[in-house]
Amino acid sequence: MKSTDKNNPAKVMIGLEIHLHLNTESKMFCACPTKASEPNSACCPTCLGLPGAKPVLNRKALEYGLKLALALNCRINQEFFFSRKTYFYPDMSKNYQITQYEKPIAEKGFLELKNGKRIGITRVHLEEDPAALVHKGGIQKAAFTLVDYNRAGIPLAEVVTDPDLSSPSEAREFMQQLLNILSYLGVYESDAVLKADANISSGSDRVEIKNITGFKSIERALCFELERQQTVLGKGEKIVQHTRLFDEETGKTVFLRGKESEEDYGYIADPDLPTFSLEREDIEELKAGLPELHFLKAKRLAKELSIPLEQAEVIVADYTLGRVFEETAKKADAKLAADFFSRELLAIINHDNLNPKDLNLKASDWIELLSLLKEDKITAKTAKETAIAVIHEKVNPAKYIKERGWIKDLREGALKELVEKVLGEEKEAVKDFKQGNQKSLHYLVGKVMRLAQGKADPNDARKEVERALNKKK
Ligand code: ZN
Ligand code: MN
């Protein structure tokens, strides 16, 4: 790369198209359930695309899509309609997908990143998911492919952004923020993964990358592609518009097909569905009913509880954790609660890859545990170990701690006696310490802690050992 390029690098422009499953009970255009155990058991003439079957719009799916669009600050189109996107593939038996093109439900919104930068939302539209193709034994080795139509017709919302993202890490933050919003709205099937396609250009034609799942992969895929483009451009070669596929296993993008455009799909308005119109008041009512979203909640709690904003942001990013935290912080020491939730609890949740929604977290447990910690009746280590048991085994914290004898009652007098006993037994170590060996101090404290069986605080124990040793000098 020439040195001038470094000082004035080409502007990176990234846009995303994100598909997300709306968690309705029935499908987008028929009454089939969205969840079924046996393949091809939740299908009807409509979602199978049999001749003569007529689609009917699911009111809940529309409501969920509108909520999402409003949370993304979009302008709602009071009139919208559905179109047929024509393509041939075994996952779409009608040979077209019912989607929105000319008039989506919403346009022109934005999502704000943490640094205040606004990422434009081009549009939010509704569409049906195609069937799932099942390649038994992997796509390369499978002798044949099975089609499961249970997924055909499940409602999807598609969020399309303007090409406002200027780095892979911004794209990752966007996806994460979108997930946070979805956890607050409760309109998203959280067991599903966010699927995204990305457009990226770095001073050249744009390249589309398909098949990226999850917010960690988006950064990986874009980093790879950005580097690839810069290498090509660095050699003085050109990049022409084309589509690539992201391979999760290798972390690389590979060429898929040449230039294509939306017009190639030959969209036509679906004659089986009417033009829908919404009342202003209904939109206003939906807007008024939106929950307080994570970024507003973080600001409010930081102020109300006098805790750092960054700490509040980390805790309330997830709806459930934010709700339990607020309830806990009202009755416990707020600062202690914020420290505990942001460090210990989140560490457990992230380490074990858990979804707070599934954990049945109760504020009363955390209030109890934090009050023991606040009153200095347990050590920080005990609090942490108990938190793991509360999350995984649903134990009652006070009872659990008591049963294990973890209440720190070895204070002053009792601790002193224990230290004297240890120093009396460990004459060699005491001698070593007097000769300047600091290691023997650790050894002695360790022995005291073992004998104390969790009832002493390590700091107290160390202080007491030091005091006793100095006295002996
Ligand atoms: Zn159906
Ligand atoms: Mn789509």
Side-chain angles (χ1 to χ4, degrees):
M1 201 181 267
K2 283 179 281 174
S3 60
T4 46
D5 291 338
K6 260 187 194 163
N7 300 330
N8 191 14
K11 199 175 169 218
V12 175
M13 287 165 67
I14 299 168
L16 300 175
E17 292 177 16
I18 301 160
H19 285 95
L20 44 105
H21 272 174
L22 298 172
N23 60 353
T24 56
E25 273 166 39
S26 58
K27 291 186 182 177
M28 185 77 139
F29 297 111
C30 63
C32 292
T34 49
K35 288 200 173 75
S37 43
E38 284 294 298
N40 292 310
S41 64
C43 315
C44 73
T46 301
C47 53
L48 286 172
L50 301 186
K54 293 276 187 276
V56 176
L57 179 61
N58 179 342
R59 184 182 281 266
K60 258 288 167 303
L62 172 60
E63 186 190 312
Y64 287 3
L66 289 171
K67 274 188 181 173
L68 173 61
L70 287 167
L72 293 173
N73 306 292
C74 287
R75 206 189 61 206
I76 304 295
N77 286 328
Q78 276 185 266
E79 288 209 332
F80 59 86
F81 59 89
F82 288 87
S83 292
R84 295 178 171 186
K85 177 181 182 176
T86 310
Y87 70 85
F88 170 77
Y89 210 62
D91 66 0
M92 189 54 77
S93 56
K94 302 193 288 291
N95 283 358
Y96 62 81
Q97 177 192 29
I98 307 180
T99 179
Q100 295 190 291
Y101 182 54
E102 302 87 343
K103 263 288 182 215
I105 54 167
E107 293 171 90
K108 295 193 176 73
F110 65 86
L111 182 151
E112 204 170 285
L113 299 183
K114 276 191 188 140
N115 64 8
K117 179 176 171 184
R118 284 185 175 183
I119 306 304
I121 306 289
T122 319
R123 53 196 270 135
V124 174
H125 72 245
L126 297 175
E127 63 186 29
E128 56 178 344
D129 206 359
L133 296 181
V134 183
H135 315 278
K136 283 259 153 74
I139 195 160
Q140 306 292 348
K141 289 183 193 149
F144 52 85
T145 296
L146 301 166
V147 188
D148 184 359
Y149 285 94
N150 283 351
R151 202 181 73 186
I154 287 184
L156 294 177
E158 181 170 336
V159 176
V160 181
T161 79
D162 296 339
D164 291 346
L165 296 155
S166 42
S167 69
S169 62
E170 276 191 9
R172 177 185 173 139
E173 192 200 328
F174 181 93
M175 293 271 276
Q176 180 64 64
Q177 295 262 13
L178 182 63
L179 262 180
N180 297 341
I181 290 176
L182 290 165
S183 85
Y184 273 72
L185 296 176
V187 301
Y188 173 59
E189 189 52 67
S190 57
D191 296 338
V193 265
L194 280 187
K195 286 189 187 154
D197 300 334
N199 289 299
I200 175 166
S201 71
S202 40
S204 58
D205 274 10
R206 61 175 213 163
V207 170
E208 184 170 4
I209 311 168
K210 296 246 173 225
N211 197 32
I212 311 171
T213 48
F215 66 92
K216 284 175 192 143
S217 297
I218 197 98
E219 190 173 13
R220 228 171 121 225
L222 288 169
C223 280
F224 174 85
E225 179 58 19
L226 195 58
E227 214 174 298
R228 192 193 68 81
Q229 290 189 9
Q230 278 160 359
T231 309
V232 172
L233 294 171
K235 284 190 228 157
E237 292 167 21
K238 269 192 168 176
I239 289 170
V240 285
Q241 192 187 327
H242 68 284
T243 303
R244 303 179 74 82
L245 196 68
F246 179 58
D247 184 339
E248 195 78 48
E249 263 174 43
T250 61
K252 293 179 178 170
T253 65
V254 289
F255 182 89
L256 183 66
R257 54 182 175 244
K259 183 176 172 166
E260 62 174 318
S261 67
E262 283 300 309
E263 287 78 43
D264 295 339
Y265 288 104
Y267 286 91
I268 50 163
D270 194 317
D272 286 340
L273 287 155
T275 292
F276 293 88
S277 50
L278 299 167
E279 300 293 336
R280 230 336 98 205
E281 301 89 81
D282 291 339
I283 299 170
E284 290 306 322
E285 201 184 307
L286 268 181
K287 200 172 179 176
L290 287 183
E292 175 190 43
L293 295 176
H294 62 288
F295 43 89
L296 293 175
K297 184 171 183 141
K299 279 188 190 135
R300 177 174 63 77
L301 288 184
K303 208 172 154 206
E304 282 177 13
L305 304 171
S306 304
I307 56 172
L309 177 63
E310 274 173 29
Q311 211 173 25
E313 279 173 348
V314 172
I315 300 168
V316 309
D318 176 80
Y319 169 74
T320 306
L321 199 64
R323 178 177 56 74
V324 177
F325 169 71
E326 185 170 12
E327 226 183 300
T328 304
K330 272 181 192 160
K331 290 189 183 158
D333 180 295
K335 210 192 145 314
L336 190 66
D339 283 345
F340 195 77
F341 271 69
S342 64
R343 296 191 190 129
E344 310 302 348
L345 267 194
L346 267 175
I348 300 168
I349 287 167
N350 292 335
H351 178 267
D352 298 335
N353 213 354
L354 305 168
N355 187 340
K357 192 179 71 116
D358 307 326
L359 300 179
N360 190 25
L361 299 172
K362 288 188 300 233
S364 56
D365 285 343
W366 307 110
I367 294 166
E368 199 172 283
L369 183 62
L370 289 169
S371 83
L372 288 171
L373 190 60
K374 168 87 180 164
E375 289 161 24
D376 204 23
K377 285 189 180 150
I378 54 171
T379 63
K381 188 166 168 269
T382 295
K384 198 172 173 175
E385 275 175 31
T386 308
I388 294 173
V390 170
I391 286 179
H392 287 293
E393 298 157 47
K394 315 274 169 247
V395 301
N396 169 274
K399 201 170 149 230
Y400 184 80
I401 290 166
K402 213 175 153 209
E403 277 168 6
R404 274 153 192 77
W406 284 349
I407 291 285
K408 229 168 67 175
D409 50 11
L410 271 186
R411 289 154 186 288
E412 290 118 42
L415 184 58
K416 218 174 196 170
E417 256 173 52
L418 189 63
V419 169
E420 289 300 335
K421 182 169 170 264
V422 169
L423 295 193
E425 287 168 10
E426 299 287 342
K427 297 223 159 53
E428 279 299 304
V430 173
K431 213 171 102 192
D432 282 354
F433 177 80
K434 281 182 186 162
Q435 283 163 358
N437 184 353
Q438 281 293 317
K439 269 188 196 158
S440 53
L441 175 66
H442 297 298
Y443 170 76
L444 291 166
V445 174
K447 176 117 200 222
V448 170
M449 289 304 291
R450 263 197 309 283
L451 289 176
Q453 290 179 323
K455 293 183 185 182
D457 184 275
N459 277 328
D460 292 351
R462 189 179 43 79
K463 273 185 208 148
E464 187 54 41
V465 171
E466 275 177 333
R467 204 191 55 77
L469 281 172
N470 287 328
K471 208 174 66 185
K472 280 195 196 305
K473 262 184 184 173

